[in-house]
Amino acid sequence: MLVKANNDIQASLGSDQLLQLQQVIHQYSPLQLAWASGYLAAKSENPANQVMPQTSASPAGKLTILFGSQTGNAKAVAQQVHAEAESQGINASLVNMADYKPKSLKSETHILIVTSTNGEGEAPDDAMALHEFLDSKRAPKLDSLQYSVLALGDSSYEYFCQTGKDFDERLAKLGAKRISDRIDCDVDYVAQAKAWQEENLKLVAETLVANTAEVVQLPVGNAAIAENVSAYNKENPFLATIVANQKITGRDSNKVVQHIEIDLEGSEISYQPGDALGIWPVNDQALVAAITNALNLDLTELVTANGEEVSLQLALQEKLEVTGLSKVVITKWAELANNQTLTDLLTDADNLRDFINNKQLIDLITTYPATLSAQTLVDSLAALTPRLYSIASSQEEVEEEVHLTVGLVDYVEQTSEGDVRRLGSASGFLIERLQEDDQVKVFIEHNNNFRLPEDTETSIIMVGPGTGVAPFRAFLQQREAQDANGGNWLVFGDQTFTQDFLYQVEWQSYLKSGVLSRLDVAFSRDQAEKVYVQHKLKANGKEVFAWLENGAHFYICGDMSRMAKDVHQTLVEIVSEHGNKTAAQAEDYLKQLRINKRYQKDVY
């Protein structure tokens, strides 16, 4: 009895502690009080403050947030949803679909899904296994599940938000009930994502409140999605300095490709090979002037852009998209211009996609003129978004620097006033308007779907034509620093040997040292018949299949619309021929490689 009495006294709170507790909890909602109760109970059983193993919470007391992300946008949105859920006291776990066991679905009651779409309607690598499971005979009935889907996409593609649509339809078919309707977001997704988050967390909280008291799990982290967190991100970029900006194509090349080195000193930013560098471009002042002149607008007029009052010039240069087009922008402009031809274009998917890919805002304005105010112009445009470039360096080699391989988007547009030069927003900014010692706003976009194998004994095959070779420069720097014993096979292609052999000296040095086991090159214009990287793979199909059978990882970086498709089809043919499989079996073979993270793409 004496021991019990002493324990009771030690377990009670002093008057000061009790007052502090009362001052804190009086502001909590009933849901937050229930969550705190469970949390404190868990802490009392785990005084070392370690991450608790996941417990079996009350079925109605848990929200699972699943994300499928290829480049990081869906992941970032899901992380924001999770953080907000925790701040509201909702017991929520954040899980990458790649780490989620599909059979767990039958025990879930509330799921929020955030997913992007990869390529032409494909699920992102993270989501492939779950996406496939839901369409299989193994998928269970989900009558007890409530869910909602936020789909991220780009309306310039034919299969806009297709993966999100698939998840929505398949879950509904299995009997699950929608918390709210699916939202399909275009490239300017921030406002819609926030509205979806607010609506769904409010509805989830209402359904969980009665059962949360039984929940003691605190979802403080998930090792599967843990990574280095920098003080700098897309919303708070680092102001970095250009230390080198050098052309690496020849004088007579049809293309301009620059090697750019950026100083990150003082940022404590870290990255891995396979990550991307986000660049916040500043739009060309001459282009902004051309837009406002065409509309007879005053650059000094004050407007509200992204909630901030600024001059029209600042809005167009630093806050709004004035080069790339989207279906949303064209739809708004069709209403402003009241032009039937433009309205008809919106119903013609092929011609619309061609217009979006080959025209800029200035072309839309001059071809389909409209009279409007400065504020109306601002309201009709999408917010400026950063451009992502595959990082061409390893910090093991370059330390507090980051290197890029940037091709200039540069073409001539035929207009009523004659031929006019058009430049890409970010590539024009980086190559033509920035010099050494100039500054640029940057951040790291981590890409866990494009990673070197953890085992340095594992071999890799890298296919990177043109600027697609950038991440493989980082891969080889990293493999050299690791003294990796796995084989490294690079397949590079471009137009000509003499003008377009990017990083030729470095590849030759790696071959000499043994870091690069094999190099195959395809220069399409050096002979009468075009030769591309897929032809080199096909010619060496037996060796390619042998490497894959021996555990090699296969990587593609570059153009999505043509090169990546051609390489994939060549892989199907190689696996079919040398693996004695049907085309369908070869596709399944490659699909399993992707699920196992052995076949990875960084395409655009």
Side-chain angles (χ1 to χ4, degrees), residues 85-206:
E86 282 196 314
S87 73
Q88 295 183 23
I90 297 173
N91 180 51
S93 59
L94 176 64
V95 186
N96 185 333
M97 289 184 190
D99 303 313
Y100 186 75
K101 295 182 179 179
K103 291 183 179 180
S104 300
L105 280 169
K106 59 187 177 183
S107 63
E108 300 277 10
T109 59
H110 298 78
I111 285 181
L112 296 180
I113 289 177
V114 185
T115 184
S116 61
T117 294
N118 185 29
E120 296 295 335
E122 296 180 355
D125 290 351
D126 284 348
M128 285 187 67
L130 181 60
H131 183 265
E132 193 170 280
F133 175 83
L134 289 174
D135 199 34
S136 71
K137 294 180 180 180
R138 294 174 294 140
K141 284 294 182 183
L142 299 173
D143 297 332
S144 299
L145 177 65
Q146 298 181 56
Y147 75 97
S148 185
V149 176
L150 181 74
L152 304 186
D154 183 339
S155 60
S156 65
Y157 290 98
E158 181 178 358
Y159 299 100
F160 175 56
C161 289
Q162 187 61 50
T163 302
K165 294 173 182 177
D166 291 345
F167 274 119
D168 187 26
E169 293 168 4
R170 292 173 187 180
L171 288 171
K173 187 176 179 180
L174 293 169
K177 305 297 186 297
R178 294 181 180 91
I179 301 171
S180 69
D181 290 339
R182 183 189 76 247
I183 298 295
D184 296 334
C185 299
D186 210 332
V187 289
D188 189 13
Y189 58 84
V190 175
Q192 284 181 294
K194 184 176 181 181
W196 178 85
Q197 169 187 296
E198 291 175 352
E199 178 182 12
N200 281 281
L201 291 183
K202 178 177 181 294
L203 294 172
V204 166
E206 291 173 355

